[in-house]
Amino acid sequence: MRSSEDREEPTPDRVGSPVALSRRGMLKGTAVTAGLAAAGIGAARPAYAADDAVVAEDAADATDATARMGGNTITMSVVDGALRWSARHNGKTVIDTSVLGLGLSDGTVLGSDVTVTRNQHWTTRTTWTPVYGRNATVTDLYQEQRWNLRDTASGIRFSVQIRAYRTGVALRYVLLDKGTATISDELTTFVFPDDTTVYSARDENAYLPVAPGSIPVTGTSTTDNGPLTDLPLTATLSDGLIACVCESSRLNFPRLMLSSVDGQPGALSAFLMEHTARGTGPAETTSTVTTPFATPWRALVIGSTHAELVDNAELILNLAPPSALTDTSWIKPGKVFRCELSTAAGLAGVDFAVARGLEYIEYDAGWYGPEFSTPDATKPIAAIDLPSVISYATSKGIGVFLYVNRLALTDADSLFGLYKSWGVSGIKLGFINDGTQPMTDQITDWAKAAAKYQLLIDMHDDVRPFGYERTYPNYISLEGVRGNEQFPTATHNVTLPFARNIGGPMDYTICYDQSRDKTTNAHQMAMAAVYYQPLNFLFWYDKPSKYSNPANWPGLPWFNAIPTTWDESRTLAGSIGEYVAVARRGGDTWYLGAMTNETSRTLSIPLSFLGSGTYTATVYADGTPGTSPYRTPVVVSTQTVTSETTLSVAMAPAGGQAVVLKPS
């Protein structure tokens, strides 16, 4: 288990940085930083090296400022008094000139007529160690430009921060004056180049590739209605670039959606959700915040290739506040088996978990009665002797998760404390209503309360990632996707690595050998390596008895061995909606997963990422295609390979391949 974040001696976050050129500027910056810390927004940052010095200067005549890193640039500018931004990658346009601004409830538009009062810029490089993740260490390297601004009409002071990373760019707003502010709208737009295609999905619908101006109108009278799409939103550009719009560090603020813009076919505009995704609760048309206040980061993960985009996803974590937990030794990622609702099934599930190398079992909806008519999650149904199951699981080193519908969360602190006293390891929260500012607060409060009692959280239904698994690593997984239990197409499955999974971990419930699968079994197996899911539910819909004769199930050794947290990850090939191949290392062993859409294909994968010496490759491949993808058998073979080997990865329609590469 990895430690919590290892960092140098912290100093305050550079929102309103205290490092300025005058005593007046220093005092002003200190006050802003203190205000942000009090609001829970400030993130600890490492001490700065000598070459990281902040340059601050009066900037009344400034017209533009650009942050640059690794071929990525993000520029903010003042055009006829109004704020604009743009982004480029290796000189190619990713976002053309677009609007910046915030709307306040009194009609003030911050960004429409401004004066730049100060410009600050610096470069920062640190490394940190996640509790779990795609890689054992994460590098946080960026150049930042920050403008302090004054709204001409109202005199309100605010700031815009832009950052360039090797992995993408990001921006956010900071309200600087001390007090409160009521935000009614965010005016940020994303103007894409001509011939861009975006992959739009709302709620738990499948992805639809459309032009930015052609997002379909969705919603009902009780939900947000319009040409709206959820994040993460991936865009493919005509020159081969690919980018994914995400958000990070969403605290005390509504969730962001994007909307097509009338008369601007290449543009998407920010839309702050006013209803929950499921339309429950009152509409929240404004958000009142205590200032100083920083809005969430609007991030653009950028890849020169589709494969590179997947490897750049850690940008979202780098923008999130560091871990708030001093002790993370109890946070353990792992594989989970869902049990039927009886004592016997729970005990059998524990034995199955031990035999199959799993870390957890779970009782899902119904363990305390019908979830929508029994809002008391403190008493199991008569068929489950929960103390006996938990005691037996604990004796075998297996943890227990319990499902809880949101209706039973009226006193989460008390409920979580009770579960802790029972010896429960984690909770899966269901039918969560993400979207509005109060629901953001509720979700983050649940994560904090669960951490208090050392409980993991798996958040289900239409919730969306915002990097919070860095701040509260017990918030280990979430859904927010058209899940595998809906038996989606292979095309959908090979869209996810470039879209939803860029934003953060996802709970996708691998369905091995299910007759309703529209994919081969090797395709399902490969998900365990292709998708980043530190809490991985396996054998969804299955019973332990199904696998009583392991010899009948050639894929079991793959699932027995594969980890869910990694020392190193490499995306080897990919094209959104077509195919993907990812290799991840745990210790000295690599696990390679490849998946294709409904088209059969063979990938040539160089194994240059391997270390020296020889490796034994155990290959789980598609056999002769059956009458349906599900009926395509898994064929197991072995071969000796080295870093000089190019592996031929053949996949049937809707197929895949899973490969274990272990030093000989």
Side-chain angles (χ1 to χ4, degrees), residues 28-53:
K28 181 187 297 183
T30 302
V32 169
T33 303
L36 282 162
I41 300 302
R45 293 291 177 190
Y48 305 113
D51 59 356
D52 282 339

Side-chain angles (χ1 to χ4, degrees), residues 313-332:
E314 286 171 334
L315 171 62
I316 308 307
L317 294 179
N318 275 330
L319 292 165
S323 177
L325 305 180
T326 56
D327 175 20
T328 58
S329 61
W330 53 275
I331 298 175
K332 301 182 186 301

Side-chain angles (χ1 to χ4, degrees), residues 275-296:
H275 300 79
T276 63
R278 293 185 178 275
T280 300
E284 304 282 346
T285 59
T286 62
S287 299
T288 299
V289 298
T290 300
T291 56
F293 177 81
T295 68

Side-chain angles (χ1 to χ4, degrees), residues 256-601:
L256 179 68
M257 300 181 79
L258 294 178
S259 173
S260 295
V261 181
D262 286 343
Q264 299 183 51
L268 294 173
S269 64
F271 180 89
L272 301 179
M273 291 180 69
E274 299 179 355
H275 300 79
T276 63
R278 293 185 178 275
T280 300
E284 304 282 346
T285 59
T286 62
S287 299
T288 299
V289 298
T290 300
T291 56
F293 177 81
T295 68
W297 287 101
R298 297 354 185 160
L300 197 67
V301 184
I302 300 172
S304 296
T305 65
H306 292 212
E308 184 180 73
L309 179 79
V310 179
D311 285 344
N312 288 347
E314 286 171 334
L315 171 62
I316 308 307
L317 294 179
N318 275 330
L319 292 165
S323 177
L325 305 180
T326 56
D327 175 20
T328 58
S329 61
W330 53 275
I331 298 175
K332 301 182 186 301
K335 296 168 284 189
V336 195
F337 178 73
R338 180 181 67 163
C339 302
E340 293 186 303
L341 301 178
S342 71
T343 302
L347 298 175
V350 171
D351 291 337
F352 182 73
V354 172
R356 299 271 69 85
L358 313 181
E359 285 74 25
Y360 300 99
I361 64 165
E362 186 240 5
Y363 279 127
D364 213 275
W367 73 267
Y368 57 86
E371 59 178 315
F372 286 102
S373 60
T374 308
D376 180 4
T378 65
K379 299 174 183 177
I381 58 176
I384 301 175
D385 182 352
L386 194 57
S388 293
V389 173
I390 293 174
S391 176
Y392 185 64
T394 301
S395 73
K396 298 291 186 177
I398 303 299
V400 176
F401 268 74
L402 296 177
Y403 174 94
V404 181
N405 184 285
R406 70 170 188 273
L407 298 179
L409 292 171
T410 54
D411 186 353
D413 188 83
S414 175
L415 187 64
F416 295 171
L418 178 65
Y419 289 170
K420 175 64 175 178
S421 73
W422 289 355
V424 171
S425 298
I427 45 180
K428 174 181 171 181
L429 303 183
F431 289 93
I432 301 305
N433 291 329
D434 192 12
T436 62
Q437 181 192 37
M439 279 314 304
T440 296
D441 293 345
Q442 184 67 85
I443 287 169
T444 53
D445 285 348
W446 282 331
K448 294 174 186 177
K452 175 182 175 182
Y453 297 105
Q454 297 190 344
L455 294 171
L456 303 181
I457 279 191
D458 179 18
M459 198 81 68
H460 255 242
D461 296 289
D462 189 29
V463 290
R464 295 286 161 161
F466 53 96
Y468 207 58
E469 68 271 21
R470 178 182 180 185
T471 311
Y472 278 86
N474 63 307
Y475 186 34
I476 193 169
S477 192
L478 62 156
E479 192 179 18
V481 69
R482 184 173 185 82
N484 202 35
E485 73 274 19
Q486 299 185 58
F487 305 104
T489 64
T491 294
H492 176 77
N493 292 338
V494 294
T495 300
L496 294 178
F498 311 94
R500 164 62 182 84
N501 214 186
I502 297 293
M506 63 182 189
D507 184 354
Y508 204 57
T509 58
I510 293 175
C511 297
Y512 177 58
D513 195 73
Q514 281 292 319
S515 61
R516 291 170 288 178
D517 282 340
K518 296 182 179 71
T519 69
T520 70
N521 284 330
H523 182 104
Q524 294 285 323
M525 292 170 63
M527 291 176 180
V530 170
Y531 296 155
Y532 172 56
Q533 40 189 356
L535 193 72
N536 194 350
F537 280 75
L538 301 178
F539 311 109
W540 197 252
Y541 296 119
D542 284 345
K543 302 177 183 179
S545 59
K546 175 177 174 178
Y547 302 103
S548 58
N549 185 356
N552 294 334
W553 306 101
L556 289 183
W558 163 264
F559 289 123
N560 293 354
I562 193 166
T564 66
T565 186
W566 306 97
D567 294 311
E568 186 178 357
S569 295
R570 304 270 188 100
T571 304
L572 308 174
S575 179
I576 187 170
E578 296 185 21
Y579 63 91
V580 65
V582 178
R584 303 189 192 270
R585 180 175 62 83
D588 61 2
T589 302
W590 286 88
Y591 299 83
L592 191 159
M595 300 158 60
T596 184
N597 59 8
E598 286 72 17
T599 301
S600 63
R601 72 183 76 236

Side-chain angles (χ1 to χ4, degrees), residues 14-194:
R14 290 179 172 180
V15 174
S17 172
V19 185
L21 298 184
S22 67
R23 184 172 182 274
R24 177 182 179 186
M26 183 180 296
L27 292 173
K28 181 187 297 183
T30 302
V32 169
T33 303
L36 282 162
I41 300 302
R45 293 291 177 190
Y48 305 113
D51 59 356
D52 282 339
V54 175
V55 177
E57 54 199 18
D58 292 331
D61 297 326
T63 58
D64 62 78
T66 299
R68 299 177 173 85
M69 185 62 64
N72 292 320
T73 63
I74 178 170
T75 298
M76 57 183 167
S77 56
V78 177
V79 179
D80 296 328
L83 287 173
R84 299 290 184 264
W85 76 287
S86 60
R88 299 174 72 83
H89 177 78
N90 290 335
K92 298 178 180 178
T93 298
V94 181
I95 299 294
D96 213 337
T97 302
S98 302
V99 172
L100 289 171
L102 289 175
L104 304 184
S105 61
D106 64 1
T108 299
V109 177
L110 301 180
S112 62
D113 189 359
V114 301
T115 299
V116 182
T117 60
R118 171 155 294 195
N119 179 38
Q120 296 171 289
H121 51 93
W122 56 82
T123 300
T124 297
R125 180 189 178 98
T126 60
T127 59
W128 56 280
T129 303
V131 181
Y132 51 83
R134 300 170 177 88
N135 297 287
T137 60
V138 179
T139 298
D140 188 2
L141 171 63
Y142 63 86
Q143 185 178 98
E144 177 166 331
Q145 294 271 358
R146 180 175 304 173
W147 271 355
N148 284 5
L149 302 131
R150 179 174 287 106
D151 178 65
T152 301
S154 66
I156 293 173
R157 298 184 309 118
F158 69 106
S159 175
V160 176
Q161 299 170 244
I162 58 172
R163 286 184 183 177
Y165 293 77
R166 297 185 186 278
T167 51
V169 299
L171 64 88
R172 73 173 176 181
Y173 308 91
V174 183
L175 299 175
L176 297 174
D177 292 322
K178 188 174 182 180
T180 62
T182 301
I183 299 169
S184 60
D185 196 11
E186 180 175 335
L187 308 177
T188 311
T189 61
F190 300 78
V191 178
F192 291 98
D194 292 343

